[in-house]
Amino acid sequence: MNKKLTIFQDVRELNQWKAIAFGCSLIERMLPNYQVFCSATEFADSSIMDNLLQILWSWVIDPKMKVNIDVQLEKLEEITPDTHQFDHYGVYPALDCAMSMAAMFNLLKKEDEQGAVVVSKLSQGTVESFIDATSEEEPNSEEIKAHPLMQWEIETQKELLDYLKDAKRSKETVKALRQMVTQEGISNIGIEI
């Protein structure tokens, strides 16, 4: 069976806090793409995106934490790039990061139970479009699957899922997840953190 499909099935089965922890872990890997885009285009203050991610991580640690989701989604909307306004490849990975963040807040709001699957697909999509954009010739789906960045993306998602299977909701779990996704020091498309 296709590895991607198994991943989506496993992601679908995560309970809410684990689904949000999984999504946040992937966003943590997408964030540098957003930051580099903002610094290259002076589009927005990327620290706002970082703060939104911190809010979600804090909620993963403490479910009693009150989050005004609508206010956070408004902030997010203001810093979500419009692809029609930029002639810069970086807008696409930046948009994927912003859409992933929206998916997590909508999952928290219980408006989209598939939020983590959306993030899983967006993160893989970011990698796929990057491989496509940086290849001399248009790669076919087999070449994309075999590409080291895509292999790494799938492995990372599988590692996160394996870790979350038996994880308890705690500060230590969040610390471990964040360490897993930042230890390489690069984003999901190879941008240095």
Side-chain angles (χ1 to χ4, degrees), residues 6-192:
T6 347
I7 285 180
F8 300 147
Q9 191 47 48
D10 291 346
V11 174
R12 233 173 246 119
E13 289 165 11
L14 293 171
N15 68 25
Q16 193 194 29
W17 81 262
K18 287 183 177 182
I20 290 177
F22 175 80
C24 285
S25 301
L26 294 183
I27 293 171
E28 194 83 54
R29 297 177 75 231
M30 298 164 93
L31 196 57
N33 306 335
Y34 183 84
Q35 291 163 334
V36 166
F37 168 73
C38 286
S39 103
T41 60
E42 296 179 352
F43 165 67
D45 177 356
S46 65
S47 69
I48 298 168
M49 188 69 80
D50 196 41
N51 294 341
L52 292 170
L53 185 56
Q54 299 317 317
I55 289 168
L56 288 168
W57 279 127
S58 299
W59 179 86
V60 171
I61 295 167
D62 177 14
K64 289 184 206 75
M65 185 182 142
K66 295 272 177 261
V67 179
N68 187 330
I69 298 169
D70 293 328
V71 167
Q72 305 314 323
L73 283 168
E74 274 171 37
K75 284 183 201 167
L76 178 60
E77 199 174 319
E78 285 169 22
I79 60 163
T80 298
D82 176 352
T83 54
H84 300 302
Q85 290 176 348
F86 295 93
D87 187 23
H88 186 289
Y89 169 77
V91 71
Y92 297 103
L95 180 62
D96 289 345
C97 179
M99 286 167 38
S100 295
M101 191 71 79
M104 285 299 89
F105 278 107
N106 286 321
L107 174 58
L108 185 57
K109 201 175 175 180
K110 294 188 167 65
E111 278 195 3
D112 182 7
E113 297 301 322
Q114 295 305 311
V117 177
V118 170
V119 177
S120 175
K121 288 181 178 181
L122 280 167
S123 189
Q124 289 180 32
T126 302
V127 174
E128 190 170 325
S129 74
F130 179 77
I131 294 168
D132 214 17
T134 54
S135 296
E136 307 245 319
E137 289 166 26
E138 203 172 310
N140 62 35
S141 63
E142 287 312 308
E143 290 166 329
I144 287 172
K145 268 185 225 153
H147 193 284
L149 277 176
M150 186 57 86
Q151 295 276 311
W152 182 46
E153 175 67 25
I154 301 291
E155 287 312 310
T156 301
Q157 291 199 21
K158 283 201 339 232
E159 238 173 83
L160 292 168
L161 286 165
D162 288 344
Y163 179 81
L164 279 165
K165 247 182 221 136
D166 304 312
K168 301 277 176 276
R169 190 172 194 161
S170 69
K171 246 185 201 152
E172 288 63 41
T173 294
V174 166
K175 201 172 159 186
L177 287 168
R178 291 181 88 167
Q179 203 170 351
M180 281 167 76
V181 293
T182 57
Q183 67 189 359
E184 305 276 349
I186 53 176
S187 79
N188 62 346
I189 58 172
I191 289 176
E192 275 187 51

